[in-house]
Amino acid sequence: MPPGMNILHSIRSFIRTADAGSLAAAARTLGISAAAVGQNIARLEAHLGVRLLNRTTRQLALTERGALYLAQVRHIERDLQRAQAAVTDPDATPAGRLRIASSVAFGRHVLAPLLPALQQRYSRLEIELLLSDRSVDHAHEAVDVSIRIEPQLEEGLVARAIAQVPFVFCAAPAYLATSGTPHTPEQLREHRCLLFRYPLDGRYLRWGFVRDGLHFDADVQPALVSDDIDALAAMAVKGGGITRLAAFVAAPYLERGELRALFEDGDANDAQAAAEPMRVFLCVSDRRDLTPKVRSLLQHLLNALPADWRIDNKRNVVATA
């Protein structure tokens, strides 16, 4: 091994670069310069006596031996983190980088405002928040924990339900004045509907209801579609039609009178249907990843989220998704 070479740092730089596709992207996840990443990889290649990456001015790709080496070493970084967590005092003060991935709307409206208080409480934490509705790979993207809604759950994740957020069906008063107000989910088919298209697979997120203990989806026809919930809210405010918003998105519009909630208690309907809530999960890739810093986030969220979003203890358990 060359003098002064840290083999683990070099392997980590190689793994992150292979996953990210560039030295610059790997450097951002590691918190070092792209030049340092490149030097680490060069030292590793010199140590092994093989070229791991083919570099051009436009792209970076694994060599055949690089792909073979990656498959053999990919587990090392995560195994080291888990080994450290296994021998660390469970009550140790959370410290180090905590990289959180979250669905966009929940991350923007709920999670981001709560994180400063967590970091202020544990000043040795360095918190990074990634917002995306695509599929996030914990290992490849060096994510410690992800906050996901139910359609984002994947096989192999360990998921704990942390909240059950009400959905609000709503429209602008001007739209309801001209198009009428639906009192049952069945009447939605007669209205302009603003739907969320899920970026992961391109499908529309269904509009689920519960009536007399039975679950069903409303039959709706899309008038306007977006993969951003804030865009749908803006369309609804301008009279685009009826949309479904999580309570934390809808609240300010309802308070200002820009939108009006539908299907509330008291509507003239003997068989009232309730909107299915949005279940939110805290996810790790392995039970051993429930480190002190991840547990600090979990407890912080359970304490800080609104009381009416809480899930009973029987359902609020760690389970493989």
Side-chain angles (χ1 to χ4, degrees):
M1 182 183 303
M5 176 182 175
N6 185 316
I7 187 68
L8 292 177
H9 286 174
S10 295
I11 291 174
R12 183 179 292 114
S13 292
F14 168 64
I15 294 171
R16 300 286 180 85
T17 300
D19 288 340
S22 74
L23 297 177
R28 286 192 292 272
T29 69
L30 290 166
I32 60 178
S33 68
V37 173
Q39 291 167 4
N40 286 342
I41 294 173
R43 293 189 189 102
L44 181 61
E45 289 177 326
H47 171 63
L48 295 172
V50 299
R51 179 172 289 279
L52 300 173
L53 296 167
N54 285 323
R55 308 167 181 80
T56 69
T57 55
R58 292 188 176 182
Q59 64 180 3
L60 182 152
L62 288 166
T63 65
E64 183 178 350
R65 291 189 177 185
L68 178 62
Y69 188 70
L70 178 64
Q72 297 299 316
V73 301
R74 181 182 291 285
H75 66 92
I76 290 177
E77 182 178 10
R78 186 160 291 272
D79 284 353
L80 286 172
Q81 293 172 347
R82 288 170 175 166
Q84 180 178 341
V87 299
T88 298
D89 181 355
D91 298 322
T93 300
R97 189 191 65 172
L98 177 60
R99 201 163 198 238
I100 308 165
S102 174
S103 57
V104 174
F106 190 86
R108 178 182 297 148
H109 293 277
V110 180
L111 189 55
L114 297 179
L115 291 180
L118 177 63
Q119 201 283 324
Q120 289 160 17
R121 181 176 182 183
Y122 301 110
S123 59
R124 294 173 59 198
L125 275 180
E126 176 192 335
I127 300 174
E128 182 177 356
L129 178 61
L130 309 177
L131 299 184
S132 177
D133 287 321
R134 62 175 173 79
S135 179
V136 174
D137 188 303
H138 283 213
H140 289 185
E141 299 182 58
V143 167
D144 296 294
V145 58
S146 60
I147 309 298
R148 305 181 182 218
I149 59 175
E150 203 153 5
Q152 292 176 306
L153 294 182
E154 299 169 345
E155 186 176 354
L157 286 176
V158 177
R160 173 167 180 163
I162 59 172
Q164 191 163 266
V165 183
F167 271 124
V168 180
F169 288 86
C170 49
Y175 172 83
L176 298 175
T178 58
S179 301
T181 300
H183 296 286
T184 68
E186 288 78 8
Q187 293 173 348
L188 287 170
R189 68 170 64 96
E190 304 165 8
H191 286 266
R192 295 173 56 83
C193 294
L194 284 55
L195 303 185
F196 182 87
R197 187 189 293 277
Y198 193 53
L200 186 62
D201 57 14
R203 74 184 186 278
Y204 299 132
L205 285 192
R206 62 186 184 82
W207 285 9
F209 289 86
V210 179
R211 179 189 286 135
D212 295 332
L214 299 177
H215 297 255
F216 66 98
D217 296 339
D219 179 17
V220 296
Q221 297 298 321
L224 292 166
V225 177
S226 179
D227 64 353
D228 184 274
I229 201 67
D230 291 296
L232 291 176
M235 294 174 188
V237 166
K238 293 301 182 180
I242 296 171
T243 194
R244 183 187 69 165
L245 304 175
F248 53 79
V249 178
Y253 295 102
L254 298 174
E255 291 170 3
R256 294 192 296 264
E258 294 174 312
L259 294 175
R260 199 188 104 192
L262 306 176
F263 311 125
E264 292 186 308
D265 293 340
D267 277 356
N269 177 30
D270 292 335
Q272 184 65 38
E276 284 186 332
M278 177 178 74
R279 298 188 74 204
V280 181
F281 298 80
L282 181 144
C283 303
V284 293
S285 57
D286 189 279
R287 291 175 187 270
R288 292 171 292 178
D289 294 329
L290 288 167
T291 58
K293 59 186 179 181
V294 171
R295 288 196 298 270
S296 72
L297 173 66
L298 172 61
Q299 194 57 53
H300 182 65
L301 294 179
L302 293 178
N303 292 338
L305 293 175
D308 59 352
W309 294 4
R310 291 176 184 166
I311 298 176
D312 62 80
N313 290 333
K314 182 178 294 186
R315 299 176 66 187
N316 195 23
V317 297
V318 175
T320 302

